[in-house]
Amino acid sequence: MISSVPQLTDLTKPRILLMGPRRSGKTSILRVVFQKMPPHETLFLESTHAVDIRLANNNPFLQFQIWDFPGDFFFNRVSRNGGEGGGGGRELGGSMTQEGEGEGPKGRELLDEVGVFGAPAALVFVLDAQDEPYHEALTRLVDLVARGQSVNPSLHVVVFIHKVDGDLFLSDEHKVDCQRDVQHRIAQELRDASLEHVEVSCFLTSIYDHSIFEAFSKIVQRLTHQLPVMENLLNYLISACKMEKSFLFDVVSRLYLATDSNPVDMQTYEMCVDMIDVVVDVSCIYGVKYDAKGEAEGPVYDSDSSSTIHLSNGMVLYLREVDE
Amino acid sequence: MARDTMRLSPTLDVEHHHVRFLGNLVLNLWDCGGQDAFYESYFDSQRDLIFRSVEVLIYVFDVESADTEKDMSHFMGVLEAIDQYSPDAKLFVLIHKMDLVAEEDRESVFLDRQKMILGLATSRFNFAVTFFKTSIWDETLYKAWSGIVYQLVPNVKALEEQLNSLCEICGANEMVLFERATFLVIAHATHAAHSDVHRFEKISNIIKQFKLSCGKTQAQFHGMEVGNSAFTAYIDLFTSNTYIMVILSDSRIHTTTTQINVKAARAAFEAFVP
């Protein structure tokens, strides 16, 4: 899964562009979703100073560039990290390659709108829900949408109303109110900028629960061409096996790549994610394989991995590996 | 959940909790507030109430405490009262918040602290004290509680013998009994060496987390089977107050066989752990 030499084709992979005000939580999201950092440890993360491009390459259906922008990013003024030309991107996922290697002034280039938005991409704008008023952030969002639209009319725009946790958001009602407020204001701002045709979807997210995984899954699905086929296959599966619900997961990131057309119940999704945690954690204890020298060998999650969990209400969770 | 503890407020005076353990063993937990004013009343007006018929004393030290001298004087006061009212009590000391100490220093800091506390305690009293280093962020806390509870389970030796023979019969690598409500380890039989000494606590931790997430859907965890090409782990309700975990690595043994064996052993085990 680790390709030490970045391929030229990597740069043609769809981009997920994480933007938003300083300290809104962009880097934390990446660390939690793709590097399994425990949420409480993200408090110690330094702020990002240059655009950081990484590659998510967990499986054939999860192939992305993820661009983490500094909060004070301005087009043309800030250079990006990463190799020159075709070299961009470091591995994300189960294992990380070393950071910051080969970054000289030579490898930097100026970024303009075409450089950022001129490829299939999703703009993810991270808004700190605990940092009211949102006026400045929303102005920035509209500016980004306008720039993005001008070069890439098919740009997906997604807003994470982030950090809906802690004392300010104890009840669901608070969260829903906040989402309604933000959505309303975005619609208004877009109208004022004559951009009302742009579709902006909002997600309430927090790194302390599963909402960030759910939201990120949705973005990944939007950028996956094979999605309708996979959804159809899952629909066949559940009708043939009389299942209630099915998810196709990327085990490494816990994102789901597709699900059948039955409605997604957040709790079922959470339980499936937790099940993967259980399977991987237990396998790490008892399922480690050793080679002749007594050293650990191969991934603990392998092609024979499977699990069944029984619950008191008759529900059965079943997990197994499907072919890559 | 560890992170939810941030919302806890300081304990005022003494809070009483009950934990039903193994069905009919009720543990009365007295959570004593740690502020100086409370100590005064523990040692004085409430002395008799607090320290009479204590079965187990668990004393928690903050490893990062700024005033170890005061901590020690409080502890000595407690020992004195225990010595007076409940001389047969079992004593456990948790050196807590170990997560704040750099990982490579933990063992030496722990040993230092243990030496200091033991030195003071044994100079005046004749107690055997068991020490644990703990943190709410990892499995060490389970390790401590399992160790404490292990000393309270009746028939534990006979129980382990029985578990050993069942493990043998099933051709299993390992069998572990967990208490049903707390998922603490109460006995284990190991027939294939394993390098990770903390594995039971880790399993407790993993299953407990998963039970919490089942709780959100109004369902309870019943049992599970997990495996890859190297092993199969099977966890199921066993006696009315325990779960059993069976680890198999021999691919010729089908888990259905194990399930039948375990089921057949259920009745016999009820006699040891109701």
Side-chain angles (χ1 to χ4, degrees):
Chain A
M1 219 187 278
I2 306 157
S3 59
S4 49
V5 185
Q7 302 295 310
L8 198 70
T9 51
D10 290 344
L11 275 193
T12 64
K13 285 172 188 160
R15 298 168 182 179
I16 295 176
L17 310 167
L18 274 179
M19 295 179 168
R22 292 184 64 242
R23 312 302 298 166
S24 58
K26 300 174 289 298
T27 308
S28 301
I29 291 175
L30 290 187
R31 293 291 187 276
V32 169
V33 173
F34 288 98
Q35 281 159 269
K36 298 273 141 288
M37 180 181 272
H40 61 267
E41 278 178 24
T42 58
L43 293 173
F44 306 114
L45 286 176
E46 300 276 332
S47 41
T48 308
H49 292 295
V51 184
D52 188 14
I53 303 175
R54 283 160 194 259
L55 212 61
N57 180 25
N58 293 351
N59 70 48
F61 297 116
L62 202 128
Q63 302 265 343
F64 301 101
Q65 303 173 54
I66 301 179
W67 295 34
D68 186 11
F69 287 83
D72 49 11
F73 173 79
F74 285 103
F75 288 91
N76 289 327
R77 279 210 237 146
V78 181
S79 53
R80 75 173 181 196
N81 283 352
E84 205 171 352
R90 275 167 276 158
E91 285 280 334
L92 259 175
S95 26
M96 286 289 309
T97 51
Q98 62 275 55
E99 299 198 17
E101 216 191 336
E103 270 173 31
K106 244 180 101 187
R108 301 185 162 215
E109 62 186 274
L110 291 178
L111 276 180
D112 57 8
E113 285 85 345
V114 178
V116 173
F117 296 115
L123 164 63
V124 178
F125 189 83
V126 182
L127 177 79
D128 182 349
Q130 300 186 10
D131 190 23
E132 282 191 280
Y134 310 132
H135 183 74
E136 216 170 294
L138 293 181
T139 312
R140 176 115 180 94
L141 167 68
V142 172
D143 174 57
L144 288 171
V145 171
R147 285 167 190 266
Q149 281 287 312
S150 65
V151 275
N152 181 359
S154 64
L155 179 75
H156 298 280
V157 184
V158 176
V159 176
F160 282 1
I161 305 168
H162 195 51
K163 304 193 196 174
V164 283
D165 46 50
D167 294 341
L168 287 171
F169 293 96
L170 284 178
S171 77
D172 284 346
E173 216 168 289
H174 277 114
K175 298 183 192 175
V176 174
D177 281 352
C178 178
Q179 180 171 19
R180 198 180 302 134
D181 176 45
V182 170
Q183 257 166 343
H184 179 75
R185 284 164 66 177
I186 291 175
Q188 208 163 23
E189 297 264 345
L190 287 175
R191 229 179 0 255
D192 293 349
S194 323
L195 287 165
E196 58 267 36
H197 58 281
V198 181
E199 196 190 321
V200 176
S201 27
C202 295
F203 293 96
L204 291 162
T205 57
S206 160
I207 50 171
Y208 291 100
D209 58 30
H210 295 74
S211 55
I212 192 65
F213 291 89
E214 160 93 16
F216 228 99
S217 299
K218 292 274 170 59
I219 295 168
V220 167
Q221 287 166 30
R222 269 190 209 181
L223 294 171
T224 309
H225 302 302
Q226 302 92 333
L227 183 68
V229 181
M230 294 196 284
E231 283 179 341
N232 258 334
L233 286 173
L234 291 175
N235 278 333
Y236 283 130
L237 177 76
I238 62 162
S239 71
C241 301
K242 299 206 163 38
M243 291 174 179
E244 211 171 295
K245 186 77 194 155
S246 63
F247 293 96
L248 184 67
F249 270 99
D250 168 49
V251 170
V252 178
S253 62
R254 272 64 158 169
L255 299 179
Y256 69 97
L257 307 173
T259 181
D260 52 72
S261 49
N262 283 352
V264 177
D265 167 18
M266 199 52 193
Q267 287 168 337
T268 314
Y269 168 68
E270 285 180 16
M271 211 135 68
C272 293
V273 172
D274 290 338
M275 179 183 193
I276 297 176
D277 285 337
V278 169
V279 172
V280 172
D281 290 347
V282 173
S283 302
C284 282
I285 299 174
Y286 286 109
V288 182
K289 286 151 279 184
Y290 297 96
D291 60 12
K293 283 186 218 136
E295 277 174 35
E297 172 189 56
V300 292
Y301 189 88
D302 61 26
S303 56
D304 284 339
S305 275
S306 74
S307 177
T308 320
I309 295 184
H310 296 263
L311 301 180
S312 62
N313 57 0
M315 194 178 194
V316 177
L317 304 171
Y318 180 69
L319 170 144
R320 63 160 287 176
E321 162 97 14
V322 289
D323 257 351
E324 278 206 356
Chain B
M1 288 284 214
R3 70 180 176 84
D4 290 341
T5 57
M6 283 184 246
R7 297 207 189 117
L8 291 177
S9 51
T11 307
L12 298 179
D13 209 3
V14 182
E15 285 177 14
H16 301 262
H17 303 272
H18 304 277
V19 178
R20 196 167 272 281
F21 195 78
L22 289 175
N24 51 12
L25 188 64
V26 178
L27 307 181
N28 290 299
L29 299 177
W30 292 29
D31 182 0
C32 303
Q35 283 151 52
D36 297 352
F38 298 133
Y39 273 98
E40 273 166 39
S41 74
Y42 301 157
F43 292 149
D44 195 17
S45 54
Q46 292 181 294
R47 190 178 181 91
D48 178 79
L49 175 75
I50 302 261
F51 294 105
R52 191 175 291 287
S53 47
V54 173
E55 193 79 31
V56 174
L57 171 77
I58 304 169
Y59 201 89
V60 183
F61 281 98
D62 179 350
V63 71
E64 289 273 274
S65 167
D67 193 351
T68 36
E69 212 152 289
K70 193 178 76 191
D71 293 353
M72 285 309 299
S73 87
H74 281 155
F75 182 57
M76 294 306 281
V78 168
L79 285 186
E80 199 180 294
I82 286 283
D83 192 43
Q84 181 185 357
Y85 286 98
S86 310
D88 295 328
K90 298 188 173 79
L91 299 192
F92 299 92
V93 168
L94 310 188
I95 312 287
H96 198 47
K97 306 195 192 171
M98 286 305 273
D99 49 293
L100 299 176
V101 178
E103 197 157 359
E104 60 272 21
D105 300 334
R106 282 183 197 163
E107 190 62 29
S108 65
V109 168
F110 172 67
L111 288 175
D112 264 11
R113 210 50 70 87
Q114 175 174 352
K115 208 170 132 197
M116 182 179 92
I117 295 167
L118 260 182
L120 259 176
T122 49
S123 67
R124 287 178 53 196
F125 304 104
N126 196 17
F127 287 119
V129 189
T130 313
F131 285 82
F132 293 101
K133 50 176 185 292
T134 57
S135 154
I136 55 168
W137 298 108
D138 56 30
E139 71 287 340
T140 51
L141 201 56
Y142 284 95
K143 174 101 186 153
W145 276 100
S146 281
I148 292 165
V149 156
Y150 185 82
Q151 299 208 9
L152 299 176
V153 177
N155 310 330
V156 80
K157 283 279 166 279
L159 181 64
E160 286 195 324
E161 262 168 47
Q162 296 294 313
L163 198 62
N164 261 316
S165 31
L166 181 62
C167 188
E168 177 95 44
I169 292 165
C170 294
N173 289 16
E174 193 152 69
M175 276 194 185
V176 188
L177 283 189
F178 295 98
E179 201 279 327
R180 186 166 178 169
T182 56
F183 233 87
L184 292 169
V185 182
I186 47 178
H188 71 95
T190 302
H191 288 206
H194 195 286
S195 56
D196 187 353
V197 288
H198 297 300
R199 61 191 181 280
F200 304 143
E201 293 81 60
K202 286 180 183 163
I203 297 281
S204 285
N205 219 346
I206 294 165
I207 302 295
K208 265 203 100 141
Q209 293 288 341
F210 189 73
K211 282 174 84 174
L212 282 176
S213 107
C214 295
K216 282 187 227 151
T217 58
Q218 270 83 49
Q220 263 132 38
F221 175 79
H222 255 196
M224 66 181 282
E225 202 181 306
V226 179
N228 68 10
S229 56
F231 85 112
T232 307
Y234 162 74
I235 298 178
D236 203 1
L237 281 171
F238 192 45
T239 65
S240 31
N241 297 300
T242 56
Y243 278 93
I244 192 167
M245 176 172 79
V246 183
I247 307 292
L248 296 162
S249 66
D250 188 339
S251 55
R252 290 169 304 171
I253 302 172
H254 202 274
T255 42
T256 322
T257 333
T258 319
Q259 279 174 28
I260 293 168
N261 280 333
V262 166
K263 208 172 175 182
R266 239 170 225 168
F269 272 85
E270 285 281 357
F272 293 96
V273 267

